Amino acid sequence: MADRKIRVLVAKPGLDGHDRGAKTIAAVLRDNGMEVIYTGLHQTPEMIAETALQEDVDVVGLSILSGAHMTLFPRVKAALEERGMGHVLLTGGGIISKEDMASLADVGFVKLFGPGTRTDDIAEWIQTAMEARWKNEEVSG
Amino acid sequence: MSNIETEHVKNASVKAVDARATWEEAMRGAKLRDAEFTSISGAPRKPLYTPEDARVDYANDLGYPGQFPYTRGVHPTMYRGRLWTMRQFAGFGSAQQTNERFKFLLDHGTTGLSVAFDFPTLMGYDSDSPRSLGEVGQVGVAISSLADMEVLMDGIPMGDVSTSMTINGPAPILLAFYIACGEKQGVDPKLLRGTVQNDILKEYEAQHAWLVEAEPALRMITDVMEYCSEHVPQWNTISISGYHIREAGSTAAQELAFTLANGMEYVRRGVAAGMDVDEFAPRLSFFFDAHLDFFEEIAKFRAARRIWARKMRDEFGAKNPKSWMIRFHTQTAGVSLTAQQPENNIVRTAVEALAAVLGGTQSLHTNSMDETLALPTEKSVKIALRTQQILAEEIEVTHVADPLAGSYFVEAETNRLEEEAEAYFAEIDRRGGVVPSIHSGYIQREIHHSAVIYQRAVEKGTKKVVGVNQHVEDVDAAPEIEIHRIDPAVESEQRERLAALRAKRDDAVVRSELDAIRSACKDGGNLLERFVSAAHAYCTLGEIAEVLREEFGEFHEPSIF
């Protein structure tokens, strides 16, 4: 398990072009030893789910600063499920209020990160969550 | 000189040498704070600047306000003649809601309008496009046709206000809506004043709201320049913007260099399209960021004026002094605001705004304290405007033009930024120009690297941010601030409005207007002229943009991180 690399898709749903955060996170996750795929901008939920499937990722991280997260995040989740990718670890970040974070947790985005988050904290959270998942798979499998 | 005088001068210079040696000795032995003494852009800083660091030839490098090379400002009187325009960017939800915010701002003393559009509008999609789902009215106002523009400007005398529209890819289409709207109000286009951002190069480099490929996008920009120089002569046809480059993570020097490189590219295009440089260059305007590093920012504004003046006169052969002057709008740095302890952002914004004023800006937007959390509330917008009014009216800084000229440090910083910008111009030339440097991802990579370096510095604590890595408070103890939300009904109402519009208009006219645009794409006719005509027929933004996408092809970004 130690040499298994976490595969992460960093994605930009919607029309918002602010990719400073997404690209910075992508670089930091890569520096933390993960395999990172970045979708580029202006992605529909279907495009993101398709890339997640093609790249067979473990984690999908969405970055959004347009305010459209309440519409787009659940659609990404649904598009992933339609493609048999409902198991991926979902996370994300952007300008998302606490109440919205709580509602999105109910649809599977258990952890979302707001402005001012340390990038290493995000890497660490993904690492810990994935290790816990893989440990469970070993136990149950 | 008498012997006594010679002796005196000699003694003074011996004393100066001694004094310097003594000071250097003291510095070597001194215990300094454990800090990284660099600019916010990471540029090394000396502990002291002296005349040796600030080599300026007064007449050639500084001059007088209103005179070449304009380092000291573009107007002879500077703020004694006229204060900067307090122009607060606003736009959200429906055209009607934004219209109400505009009237609120005008009532509170704002002197120019500035329109923020939502992402669908910025990307050339109608509010009822599937691509627009969840985004209508979120970060700006949704304008899908002339009908929305009529609501936006309702009750606002278009011949009297100046309006800045932050839009790029579809800028010529939105400008057409504005011109048509003015005509419907009975205002001659010759009286319309304002600016359309229309700076597509920095979209590819940093902000990423584009419509079509670079070459046809540049052609549309020259179409706008040509059309406006004849029909809308008071309109600033482009606002060449460093703001988004800086916000995407660049250093001050990169902001300066890439912005001016883009500016020079537009000038080359205008000339290549057969215009005389002095025919369009006076209508070019610029837009910079005011970040937290006070002196580096002031120096950046001064360097921008000097570089542009030299390029325009000496390289492009412009004869009209108005072509040499860089007139710019400034916005305080959105990225410098913190979600933690948001009230502190009022102070950050005030410092940044003061740098813009001491740097001689022509207009200014001050950010509201709550913008990292959501759209600003009326209260926070008012504090931001009041901040400018305090700078303008209370603190007595407006009496003297370019007050920091002659500061050894500020002159040295101005020289440094000019040199760094020149090095970038040479590198971009070596790479075949701005467009090839975008297609290869060079410029985007430079910006991204700077962003990562800065983020790392903040996380290591070598760059300090109060509330983030210094003086941190328990997040849960932070006061909740009121959040401005967009009602989801805005999106459904926009869809209904569009459906009604599509049902009501004359389809045959719409089709023939769209066909005429398609032909102009192919045969090189002026597209803005076609868009104005199509606007009157209530062709929508999305319909016009779709023709352009089909004819010209979409831009594909090189994926870099």
Side-chain angles (χ1 to χ4, degrees):
Chain A
M1 193 179 96
D3 55 356
R4 184 168 170 189
K5 281 198 166 186
I6 301 171
R7 289 176 65 77
V8 186
L9 179 68
V10 174
K12 285 286 302 173
L15 300 175
D16 126 52
H18 297 96
D19 61 355
R20 178 177 180 169
K23 286 161 79 171
T24 302
I25 298 289
V28 167
L29 297 181
R30 184 187 54 204
D31 295 348
N32 275 270
M34 300 180 198
E35 285 177 11
V36 182
I37 300 110
Y38 170 53
T39 58
L41 293 161
H42 310 143
Q43 302 284 303
T44 63
E46 292 70 28
M47 291 157 87
I48 293 167
E50 202 51 42
T51 308
L53 176 69
Q54 297 304 325
E55 297 286 347
D56 191 25
V57 295
D58 306 300
V59 184
V60 172
L62 305 178
S63 166
I64 193 162
L65 291 100
S66 70
H69 47 272
M70 294 306 283
T71 307
L72 294 175
F73 279 27
R75 283 172 189 262
V76 171
K77 166 81 173 166
L80 284 166
E81 278 169 353
E82 280 165 22
R83 288 163 182 77
M85 293 292 286
H87 58 278
V88 298
L89 179 67
L90 290 175
T91 183
I95 300 188
I96 304 171
S97 70
K98 279 187 204 159
E99 302 98 84
D100 288 357
M101 282 189 189
S103 328
L104 290 168
D106 295 340
V107 293
F109 292 84
V110 290
K111 182 77 181 165
L112 293 171
F113 299 91
T117 307
R118 287 170 48 86
T119 54
D120 285 337
D121 290 349
I122 299 172
E124 198 182 303
W125 181 82
I126 292 175
Q127 189 79 36
T128 309
M130 281 313 300
E131 279 171 8
R133 284 184 164 212
W134 285 338
K135 211 167 176 183
N136 282 339
E137 281 171 21
E138 273 177 19
V139 172
S140 59
Chain B
M1 235 187 259
S2 72
N3 278 345
I4 295 169
E5 278 170 337
T6 315
E7 198 62 16
H8 186 72
V9 168
K10 208 168 122 197
N11 279 344
S13 82
V14 167
K15 266 188 199 154
V17 169
D18 285 350
R20 173 133 200 136
T22 307
W23 172 74
E24 282 173 355
E25 187 58 36
M27 283 298 290
R28 264 194 296 277
K31 186 167 161 17
L32 304 177
R33 280 185 300 112
D34 179 21
E36 199 174 83
F37 299 105
T38 59
S39 82
I40 206 164
S41 298
R45 287 253 162 95
K46 297 181 184 185
L48 184 76
Y49 287 78
T50 66
E52 288 152 50
D53 300 301
R55 300 215 173 271
V56 285
D57 169 346
Y58 189 86
N60 284 320
D61 297 335
L62 302 182
Y64 284 83
Q67 292 178 27
F68 192 89
Y70 303 99
T71 313
R72 308 210 62 188
V74 291
H75 298 303
T77 56
M78 282 311 290
Y79 301 134
R80 283 195 181 209
R82 187 170 167 273
L83 290 169
W84 62 91
T85 302
M86 298 179 195
R87 191 188 293 282
Q88 298 293 88
F89 192 41
F92 55 87
S94 65
Q96 174 152 9
Q97 286 170 313
T98 302
N99 175 265
E100 283 160 17
R101 176 67 65 96
F102 282 164
K103 287 175 177 164
F104 171 88
L105 284 166
L106 289 169
D107 285 348
H108 284 82
T110 196
T111 47
L113 300 177
S114 179
V115 191
F117 296 98
D118 69 357
F119 277 116
T121 308
L122 293 172
M123 291 291 295
Y125 295 107
D126 287 338
S127 297
D128 58 359
S129 159
R131 296 295 303 250
S132 306
L133 215 59
E135 316 235 27
V136 176
Q138 286 288 352
V139 299
V141 61
I143 300 291
S144 299
S145 76
L146 171 59
D148 292 336
M149 187 65 85
E150 288 168 39
V151 174
L152 183 73
M153 299 309 293
D154 182 56
I156 297 171
M158 291 176 71
D160 300 336
V161 294
S162 86
T163 304
S164 168
M165 294 194 282
T166 298
I167 187 135
N168 296 280
I173 307 170
L174 271 292
L175 176 57
F177 291 167
Y178 193 86
I179 293 168
C181 186
E183 285 171 343
K184 294 203 82 173
Q185 274 196 10
V187 179
D188 183 342
K190 291 201 160 53
L191 298 177
L192 294 177
R193 286 180 304 121
T195 304
V196 66
Q197 198 165 71
N198 201 24
D199 170 13
I200 199 65
L201 292 171
K202 68 90 176 56
E203 291 299 320
Y204 304 132
E205 293 165 8
Q207 184 167 254
H208 309 321
W210 49 66
L211 193 59
V212 295
E213 249 300 332
E215 290 300 331
L218 287 164
R219 172 208 153 174
M220 283 199 280
I221 290 171
T222 50
D223 281 357
V224 171
M225 289 177 181
E226 282 178 315
Y227 183 89
C228 288
S229 78
E230 191 181 338
H231 303 284
V232 203
Q234 297 194 72
W235 199 267
N236 298 312
T237 51
I238 189 165
S239 169
I240 304 151
S241 306
Y243 186 80
H244 319 83
I245 293 171
R246 190 68 181 278
E247 293 285 296
S250 84
T251 63
Q254 288 168 338
E255 176 193 359
L256 180 66
F258 298 152
T259 309
L260 298 185
N262 292 346
M264 289 187 274
E265 186 63 25
Y266 295 123
V267 173
R268 280 185 208 107
R269 299 291 173 146
V271 171
M275 284 181 276
D276 182 273
V277 65
D278 287 318
E279 197 182 311
F280 64 92
R283 301 308 316 167
L284 302 176
S285 67
F286 288 77
F287 173 24
F288 289 108
D289 200 294
H291 217 293
L292 280 167
D293 192 322
F294 193 66
F295 295 107
E296 188 176 54
E297 293 303 284
I298 294 167
K300 179 185 76 184
F301 300 127
R302 301 175 80 243
R305 283 191 292 267
R306 187 159 79 201
I307 296 169
W308 190 253
R310 287 177 171 167
K311 297 286 177 198
M312 292 305 290
R313 191 187 71 176
D314 303 338
E315 280 186 28
F316 293 100
K319 306 262 185 316
N320 183 349
K322 287 207 160 70
S323 302
W324 305 337
M325 289 178 204
I326 196 169
R327 294 164 301 118
F328 58 87
H329 172 68
T330 306
Q331 179 170 341
T332 57
V335 285
S336 72
L337 307 183
T338 65
Q340 296 87 347
Q341 306 174 35
E343 291 88 343
N344 296 346
N345 293 329
I346 297 172
V347 181
R348 294 190 177 96
T349 297
V351 170
E352 292 163 352
L354 182 57
V357 168
L358 298 183
T361 194
Q362 277 62 63
S363 74
L364 180 61
H365 167 100
T366 34
N367 290 322
S368 302
M369 63 170 168
D370 47 4
E371 293 190 40
T372 64
L373 302 166
L375 285 171
T377 58
E378 267 188 12
K379 182 182 171 189
S380 66
V381 168
K382 195 152 82 178
I383 292 171
L385 177 60
R386 294 284 182 254
T387 303
Q388 292 200 41
Q389 290 161 339
I390 289 167
L391 298 183
E393 294 163 24
E394 280 186 30
I395 66 168
E396 315 291 4
V397 294
T398 55
H399 313 323
V400 179
D402 190 27
L404 287 170
S407 149
Y408 305 128
F409 176 40
V410 170
E411 295 299 353
E413 283 284 89
T414 307
N415 292 346
R416 170 179 72 84
L417 287 162
E418 183 172 11
E419 283 158 20
E420 289 188 33
E422 287 291 350
Y424 270 116
F425 300 151
E427 182 59 27
I428 290 168
D429 278 349
R430 202 182 64 75
R431 290 167 179 272
V434 171
V435 173
S437 298
I438 288 168
H439 281 138
S440 72
Y442 166 70
I443 292 174
Q444 299 93 311
R445 209 158 39 235
E446 286 290 299
I447 297 169
H448 171 62
H449 284 163
S450 300
V452 172
I453 289 167
Y454 180 74
Q455 182 64 26
R456 283 301 195 190
V458 170
E459 296 192 3
K460 274 195 304 188
T462 51
K463 285 292 172 210
K464 300 191 190 323
V465 184
V466 171
V468 174
N469 63 15
Q470 304 290 305
H471 316 291
V472 177
E473 287 173 12
D474 182 3
V475 177
D476 294 327
E480 280 289 329
I481 73 166
E482 187 197 342
I483 301 272
H484 180 163
R485 281 179 182 281
I486 298 303
D487 185 346
V490 166
E491 190 159 320
S492 48
E493 283 164 17
Q494 261 299 106
R495 286 167 189 280
E496 285 160 23
R497 275 174 56 78
L498 267 166
L501 177 81
R502 289 187 211 278
K504 194 171 69 184
R505 58 188 190 171
D506 185 337
D507 281 342
V509 178
V510 167
R511 267 197 308 278
S512 86
E513 288 292 345
L514 294 175
D515 287 345
I517 290 169
R518 199 179 293 279
S519 308
C521 287
K522 292 186 168 78
D523 68 21
N526 190 296
L527 280 166
L528 180 52
E529 189 181 335
R530 300 270 33 106
F531 297 159
V532 173
S533 173
H536 279 294
Y538 292 95
C539 293
T540 67
L541 166 65
E543 289 162 351
I544 298 170
E546 197 49 40
V547 173
L548 299 177
R549 276 189 278 259
E550 284 167 14
E551 290 301 317
F552 292 145
E554 291 183 54
F555 176 77
H556 295 286
E557 53 156 348
S559 181
I560 292 150
F561 67 87

